[in-house]
Amino acid sequence: MLSFSCANKEKDIQTPAQPEQLTISEGFVEPVGFYDAQPSFSWKLPVDAAVKAQSQYRIVVASSPDLLPGNPDLWDSGVINSDTTNFVRYEGTELKSRQRVFWQVKYWNERGFDSKWSAVASFELGLLSSSDWNAKWIEIEQPAPLMLDKFDTPIHIPQYLRTTFTADKSIKSARLYITAKGLFESFINGNRVGNDVLTPGYTPYHKRIETLTYDVTKLLVSGENAIGITLAEGWYAGRFGPKRHWHKKRDITPKALAQLEIEYTDGTRKVVVTDNNWQATQQGPLRRSSLYDGEMFDANFSLKNNNANWHEPQYETENAPEKWRSVQSLSIESDVLLEPKRHFTPKNKQVLTPVSLHKVDGKIIFDLGQNMVGVARVNLPMIEGEKLKIRFAEGINSDGSLYTKNLGSAAQEDTYIAAKSGVVEWQPQFTFHGFRYVEVSGFDEKETPQLNWVQGIVQYTDFELTGQFTSSDPRLNQLQSNIEWGLKGNFLDIPTDCPQRSERLGWTGDALAFAPTSLFIADSHAFWSAWLQSIREEQFENHGIPVVVPNEVGEIVQAGWSDAAVTIPWDIYWRTGDERVLRENYEMMKRWILYHQSQLENGVSKMWTVGDWLQPYSTREDSRRGETDHGLISTAFYARSLDIVARTAKVLQKTDDAKHYASLLEEAKANFQASFFDQQGNIKQGQPTQTSYLLAIGFDLLSDEILQAAEARLMKQFEIAGGHLRTGFLGTPLIAPVLEKIGRQDIALELLFKESYPSWLFPVSQGATTMWERWDGYTHDKGYVKKAGSLNHYAYGAIGQWMYDRLAGITPLSAGYKKVRISPVVTTHLSHAGATYQSPHGEIKSYWFLNQDELRMEITIPPNVTATVEVPSVVYVKNTAETTSKTQKLNGLITVNGSALDVQSKNKMQINKNLEFSAGHYVIRVSTNNE
């Protein structure tokens, strides 16, 4: 281990700074309504010269902060000899619903000096079981059958639900537990509760509905209070998913469930629940709300009297008897779990302002300059009685009008009807759209349109972005931006394939491709873990995994998609270090292997698959399906899943299982090779394709004897394609990692920086601001592709993983980045590149700068992490007409923080040797001296 630390004062060394950034489980900070009574604890060591690593820790947990740290009544871990700072499992007294828990942690550094105790952190459990609920589901009484729309699906006019109650004592605290079959917003005394959107979210509603908890203490008053709930159809009751299943929604109606629990200062309690005492109306301003079709707001439908709004206690329903009706109630089902939401809710995350506007056929079209997902907020003049129409699209046609061909049956249209003349400010509540362009008509045409009339409100799950990548090439930076916006646009409560057309589903294949990249870009640990619970709940009795989760498509299982049930738990574990995700999903993973085995015939999988989806230039009758043999794909993914399950068993210390699956893996590899490859590395079944070789090599399915020949065949496939990729959703994520694996980083770089079709930079050259479903979704010369595709589809963004791991050079060597490798691929395509990553242990940085005299590397390693730094021995040269060599050697003097390494024998130095670094900041310079 190399050390380049500075001297410190002894008093600083003896008292290391306190631990920081305390979280529980998948990264929750001070949560109210937490989902798990068996949490884990994590913390970060401070960036302090006195702290390189942790040698011991102690956690104390109590029911009151006054008991900490000296008298913890729930758990005292004692002093534990361990460098672990993440996911330490709680082993104390059983925790219960509603319980608030306080905790602290301290650590000892590598020299044995103990830190101060951390600040006190806390979490509060929600209602963990359906038995904790006294409330009933409520909805408006319907006097007549629901009307159907043109799709023969019910029209659910949004409901307004309210009740009043008296708080006759001094209030100490209050919690609102609430959820819906549909979407809700709640209000107390006229104030909005929380700032989430599209709550409670999207789960397999027939198995589990998520609940939310809000601290509403400050919203209540002594005396009369009112609770209001706005209820819309959402995913639960609205037209959603494939057309062939829309009829299933005809007998489904939105419902709300709420339980307000008040604790008075004298220790007594009051509980207000949804029941038959509530009142409801559908005569409010929200006239329609659909995820696909948008929202209609008619300001003439006022819910205000006595100078009060409908969700205030002064409002009198007796003054509007024609509006308000009784509710009907339904007891909580015993077979549907009510559980606290286990990941972060979606929120309004960013605001975009238009970059330009233009007029087409009397309509004004605003260009936000960025394809995004969310809603538009309008602030513009209207005339009384006029109808404002707001339409959305990802692109525009050559005449400047909206391009909507790729929306399917989704209208993506919001409407506002003005009750008076003047400036209207409005933002929809219960819909979302995928768009860059906003078309507005129906405004006061006497006024000149202004850019500030419209804002784009970007909505996605409320996690923070954790990874940043940058380089000297604006095209590559735009690609990175497109990857990030693809994530933002498709991480709206669940991972979706697209956010704009009449689909927006949780396709497992897209997720399988993109999960590793997403775990670097965003703190998506809780997001993925929550979705995996939905996958477990949707697993079929025959052990198959549906291709869409929540399952809107029926009993469809396929290789390369359903394997996400195995690959994503491992991806999360590898990037975070959290073993819990493996424990939670292990049985599902084993059952998926059983399904795979049920599809085998003589060692070859016959599992159905759509193949290497959207491979360019496919000659199949259905050109969306790639040319790679489906049996090869399915058998390769069987082996891949076996490999991951074997490794999972090893991590979980299930020794017998690990041996069993490792044995099955060797058998599967032998069958794969014998069935699909000859001794010369040729494909025996189906057409030879890039993807067939990428799967075989990337999944380690070939013997050493055949591997070398197969590598040459893969390179031949790239040659046949004119140096371009010919891969779809399954093959594309493997391109760069496999080419590096066989020592062809030069080809990986050429593909990454190629601008001609098909390539990652081709959409960038055509103006893309997000990742596209098809490589040629739009071209300047031909316009939009005939088979209209999504212009916000993250699957091809999987290249991001290689950019971060290898171009920037931050690669985990152990789960959770406890050990990392800093080993960038340096190329003359760039003068600099690098990344910053907020790892589970702290900030990791790796940047490199290249000029004709030297390579400079700037590296930051957080405390409690060790890094193997591999100083590059070569620079990969951009291929030009003047290029004479694919690489340039780096064999000059190496210095670290100004100190030369092995100065006396610099000319004999073995460049690319491993340097071991602990926490700190390092500047490494390598001269390009070619002595």
Side-chain angles (χ1 to χ4, degrees):
M1 184 78 68
L2 298 180
S3 177
F4 293 86
S5 59
C6 302
N8 302 280
K9 295 181 180 179
E10 187 65 22
K11 65 178 182 179
D12 293 331
I13 293 177
Q14 291 181 352
T15 309
Q18 64 185 170
E20 301 172 342
Q21 300 181 50
L22 276 62
T23 61
I24 62 168
S25 298
E26 298 92 353
F28 292 85
V29 178
E30 305 277 340
V32 173
F34 188 60
Y35 76 94
D36 187 18
Q38 295 180 305
S40 62
F41 302 100
S42 301
W43 59 94
K44 289 185 174 70
L45 303 185
V47 177
D48 187 313
V51 182
K52 293 291 183 184
Q54 173 184 287
S55 60
Q56 298 174 312
Y57 70 82
R58 181 185 173 196
I59 299 171
V60 289
V61 185
S63 58
S64 167
D66 298 334
L67 298 175
L68 295 178
N71 299 291
D73 60 337
L74 296 178
W75 186 46
D76 185 343
S77 70
V79 178
I80 304 297
N81 295 321
S82 172
D83 63 356
T84 297
T85 58
N86 287 295
F87 311 115
V88 177
R89 298 167 70 178
Y90 174 73
E91 297 179 354
T93 303
E94 181 181 359
L95 305 179
K96 302 182 184 303
S97 295
R98 307 177 180 84
Q99 186 168 356
R100 191 170 183 195
V101 179
F102 302 86
W103 67 287
Q104 285 181 288
V105 62
K106 69 184 298 186
Y107 68 93
W108 284 254
N109 69 6
E110 74 280 1
R111 299 183 61 183
F113 295 113
D114 60 327
S115 73
K116 298 177 182 178
W117 283 100
S118 69
V120 175
S122 70
F123 61 94
E124 182 180 312
L125 296 170
L127 301 185
L128 302 178
S129 168
S130 298
S131 62
D132 292 314
W133 290 82
N134 298 317
K136 292 186 175 183
W137 293 105
I138 62 169
E139 62 180 309
I140 193 168
E141 283 191 340
Q142 296 289 354
L146 292 173
M147 295 180 61
L148 301 181
D149 59 19
K150 64 181 181 180
F151 302 107
D152 286 333
T153 56
I155 298 173
H156 298 290
I157 300 173
Q159 302 175 37
Y160 294 80
L161 309 163
R162 76 183 304 270
T163 194
T164 58
F165 65 93
T166 302
D168 52 9
K169 298 181 183 179
S170 176
I171 297 170
K172 177 183 178 182
S173 67
R175 300 290 184 265
L176 177 64
Y177 304 100
I178 186 169
T179 189
K181 294 179 178 180
L183 299 174
F184 76 86
E185 285 185 1
S186 56
F187 304 83
I188 291 181
N189 297 331
N191 298 298
R192 169 81 190 277
V193 177
N195 59 357
D196 342 75
V197 298
L198 303 176
T199 48
Y202 186 23
T203 55
Y205 298 117
H206 62 292
K207 294 289 186 69
R208 173 175 52 95
I209 297 174
E210 294 178 313
T211 66
L212 294 167
T213 305
Y214 298 98
D215 181 350
V216 295
T217 308
K218 295 180 180 179
L219 299 182
L220 296 176
V221 297
S222 296
E224 284 298 303
N225 292 266
I227 308 177
I229 300 173
T230 314
L231 178 65
E233 61 183 39
W235 290 280
Y236 176 80
R239 180 175 68 91
F240 197 76
K243 181 178 181 179
R244 64 183 182 274
H245 294 293
W246 291 347
H247 67 280
K248 297 178 181 178
K249 298 292 182 79
R250 288 179 188 163
D251 297 323
I252 294 176
T253 54
K255 299 173 178 63
L257 182 76
Q259 186 160 304
L260 174 65
E261 299 188 359
I262 303 169
E263 182 180 358
Y264 294 120
T265 53
D266 65 1
T268 60
R269 301 172 65 86
K270 182 181 182 73
V271 180
V272 180
V273 300
T274 45
D275 57 19
N276 289 96
N277 294 316
W278 285 55
Q279 293 177 292
T281 184
Q282 289 177 308
Q283 297 299 308
L286 272 178
R287 309 308 304 148
R288 183 198 71 213
S289 190
S290 162
L291 294 180
Y292 284 167
D293 298 327
E295 197 157 283
M296 176 182 287
F297 187 98
D298 188 341
N300 296 286
F301 284 74
S302 173
L303 287 179
K304 189 172 184 178
N305 65 38
N306 200 30
N307 292 317
N309 284 312
W310 66 277
H311 39 47
E312 294 179 290
Q314 299 88 349
Y315 183 88
E316 296 179 357
T317 57
E318 294 80 3
N319 290 345
E322 75 285 356
K323 290 185 178 181
W324 292 90
R325 301 205 297 267
S326 299
V327 299
Q328 56 189 29
S329 63
L330 181 70
S331 297
I332 292 171
E333 304 94 329
S334 60
D335 57 346
V336 177
L337 299 176
L338 294 174
E339 294 184 352
K341 193 172 185 70
R342 61 173 295 174
H343 74 295
F344 309 115
T345 54
K347 291 187 177 179
N348 300 328
K349 297 289 289 182
Q350 287 178 253
V351 178
L352 300 184
T353 55
V355 296
S356 67
L357 61 82
H358 64 274
K359 190 173 184 179
V360 178
D361 295 332
K363 304 176 180 69
I364 304 301
I365 296 180
F366 295 83
D367 178 6
L368 293 167
Q370 172 64 56
N371 199 9
M372 57 157 282
V373 174
V375 295
R377 179 186 296 153
V378 295
N379 191 317
L380 46 70
M382 288 189 68
I383 297 174
E384 179 182 349
E386 289 296 308
K387 181 182 293 187
L388 182 74
K389 284 192 175 182
I390 312 167
R391 299 173 62 230
F392 303 86
E394 295 185 303
I396 54 174
N397 297 307
S398 57
D399 64 357
S401 61
L402 292 187
Y403 169 74
T404 58
K405 185 180 177 182
N406 68 338
L407 297 182
S409 66
Q412 284 213 142
E413 179 178 303
D414 296 330
T415 304
Y416 184 97
I417 301 173
K420 61 182 180 179
S421 298
V423 174
V424 167
E425 183 174 355
W426 178 60
Q427 175 181 329
Q429 296 170 262
F430 299 118
T431 190
F432 68 92
H433 311 298
F435 62 99
R436 171 175 171 170
Y437 297 92
V438 182
E439 178 196 273
V440 174
S441 61
F443 55 89
D444 184 350
E445 295 187 2
K446 296 192 300 293
E447 302 293 334
T448 302
Q450 303 293 321
L451 288 177
N452 63 6
W453 282 10
V454 169
Q455 292 178 316
I457 308 301
V458 180
Q459 298 173 329
Y460 58 92
T461 296
D462 188 28
F463 43 61
E464 297 303 317
L465 300 186
T466 51
Q468 296 176 319
F469 174 88
T470 188
S471 76
S472 58
D473 190 331
R475 302 170 306 162
L476 203 60
N477 296 341
Q478 185 63 54
L479 174 62
Q480 169 62 15
S481 176
N482 294 357
I483 294 170
E484 290 181 6
W485 279 97
L487 178 147
K488 293 175 183 178
N490 286 289
F491 276 34
L492 190 65
D493 205 66
I494 69 159
T496 55
D497 62 328
C498 63
Q500 74 297 91
R501 68 190 179 208
S502 50
E503 189 170 8
R504 314 184 192 189
L505 300 174
W507 282 96
T508 50
D510 306 57
L512 179 150
F514 190 65
T517 295
S518 74
L519 286 159
F520 182 94
I521 295 175
D523 181 14
S524 51
H525 182 184
F527 175 85
W528 285 115
S529 295
W531 190 58
L532 285 170
Q533 179 171 347
S534 294
I535 297 181
R536 294 196 300 274
E537 291 163 344
E538 294 282 35
Q539 189 168 23
F540 300 126
E541 289 186 6
N542 67 359
H543 314 304
I545 298 291
V547 294
V548 166
V549 175
N551 184 9
E552 301 281 355
V553 299
E555 294 192 21
I556 303 176
V557 180
Q558 69 178 40
W561 266 249
S562 303
D563 291 277
V566 168
T567 64
I568 292 178
W570 183 263
D571 290 335
I572 297 170
Y573 162 70
W574 187 247
R575 297 286 166 168
T576 67
D578 185 8
E579 291 184 12
R580 173 180 175 161
V581 71
L582 300 182
R583 291 194 301 271
E584 278 190 329
N585 293 287
Y586 185 60
E587 288 304 315
M588 173 181 70
M589 296 161 77
K590 290 200 302 179
R591 289 181 59 201
W592 172 239
I593 295 298
L594 292 176
Y595 184 84
H596 255 301
Q597 291 172 333
S598 74
Q599 304 298 301
L600 295 176
E601 291 183 12
N602 300 318
V604 174
S605 178
K606 302 301 181 182
M607 191 188 303
W608 183 77
T609 179
V610 296
D612 194 23
W613 188 247
L614 298 184
Q615 173 214 310
Y617 300 114
S618 174
T619 57
R620 285 185 182 266
E621 182 177 353
D622 182 349
S623 62
R624 296 173 302 172
R625 304 187 180 198
E627 296 163 328
T628 305
D629 182 80
H630 288 182
L632 184 151
I633 289 172
S634 300
T635 308
F637 272 96
Y638 169 52
R640 178 63 169 169
S641 285
L642 282 170
D643 180 23
I644 292 175
V645 174
R647 283 185 274 160
T648 298
K650 185 176 181 181
V651 170
L652 298 179
Q653 299 180 6
K654 298 179 182 293
T655 306
D656 290 343
D657 280 5
K659 291 179 180 178
H660 171 65
Y661 291 113
S663 176
L664 289 175
L665 172 60
E666 292 307 309
E667 180 182 324
K669 288 165 67 172
N671 287 333
F672 176 87
Q673 179 172 294
S675 300
F676 297 104
F677 283 81
D678 65 19
Q679 292 300 309
Q680 289 73 44
N682 294 303
I683 297 290
K684 290 166 57 175
Q685 289 191 35
Q687 291 180 242
T689 63
Q690 291 177 11
T691 293
S692 59
Y693 288 101
L694 290 168
L695 290 170
I697 298 169
F699 293 173
D700 294 316
L701 303 181
L702 302 178
S703 64
D704 293 340
E705 296 78 18
I706 294 180
L707 179 60
Q708 188 170 358
E711 292 171 357
R713 304 295 182 194
L714 171 62
M715 298 314 300
K716 182 66 174 178
Q717 289 300 312
F718 283 109
E719 182 182 331
I720 292 171
H724 287 82
L725 56 81
R726 288 286 188 276
T727 51
F729 281 23
L730 299 181
T732 300
L734 293 167
I735 292 175
V738 168
L739 287 171
E740 181 176 356
K741 184 176 184 177
I742 66 176
R744 296 310 306 265
Q745 292 92 328
D746 58 320
I747 301 299
L749 290 166
E750 291 298 327
L751 288 169
L752 177 59
F753 286 94
K754 193 176 293 292
E755 272 193 315
S756 50
Y757 172 80
S759 66
W760 287 284
L761 292 186
F762 179 73
V764 171
S765 73
Q766 305 303 303
T769 63
T770 42
M771 302 305 296
W772 292 348
E773 182 178 22
R774 296 174 180 270
W775 298 108
D776 58 347
Y778 170 83
T779 62
H780 292 316
D781 57 340
K782 297 180 181 178
Y784 299 97
V785 67
K786 288 184 178 180
K787 293 185 177 179
S790 162
L791 298 182
N792 197 344
H793 232 80
Y794 54 53
Y796 289 141
I799 185 61
Q801 178 188 357
W802 192 78
M803 290 162 57
Y804 319 139
D805 285 6
R806 301 301 293 117
L807 206 55
I810 303 175
T811 308
L813 292 179
S814 66
Y817 290 82
K818 188 71 172 66
K819 296 180 180 179
V820 298
R821 180 180 69 172
I822 305 295
S823 179
V825 173
V826 179
T827 173
T828 60
H829 285 89
L830 302 168
S831 61
H832 67 263
T836 299
Y837 176 54
Q838 303 300 327
S839 80
H841 303 280
E843 186 173 80
I844 301 173
K845 291 185 178 180
S846 173
Y847 290 85
W848 58 264
F849 305 84
L850 180 68
N851 59 40
Q852 61 182 4
D853 298 319
E854 70 170 11
L855 168 69
R856 184 175 86 254
M857 301 170 64
E858 295 187 4
I859 300 165
T860 299
I861 306 301
N864 220 37
V865 171
T866 56
T868 297
V869 178
E870 297 180 6
V871 180
S873 60
V874 297
V875 174
Y876 292 91
V877 178
K878 180 180 179 180
N879 187 20
T880 66
E882 292 77 30
T883 301
T884 57
S885 174
K886 294 179 179 179
T887 60
Q888 293 175 352
K889 290 185 177 181
L890 282 172
N891 58 0
L893 176 67
I894 300 178
T895 64
V896 180
N897 290 356
S899 299
L901 293 184
D902 200 7
V903 176
Q904 299 303 317
S905 58
K906 67 178 184 180
N907 294 331
K908 300 177 182 178
M909 177 176 291
Q910 293 183 0
I911 312 253
N912 209 20
K913 71 177 181 179
N914 296 350
L915 308 176
E916 300 292 329
F917 289 145
S918 59
H921 181 72
Y922 304 93
V923 177
I924 301 174
R925 297 177 183 270
V926 187
S927 68
T928 55
N929 175 20
N930 289 314
E931 295 178 16

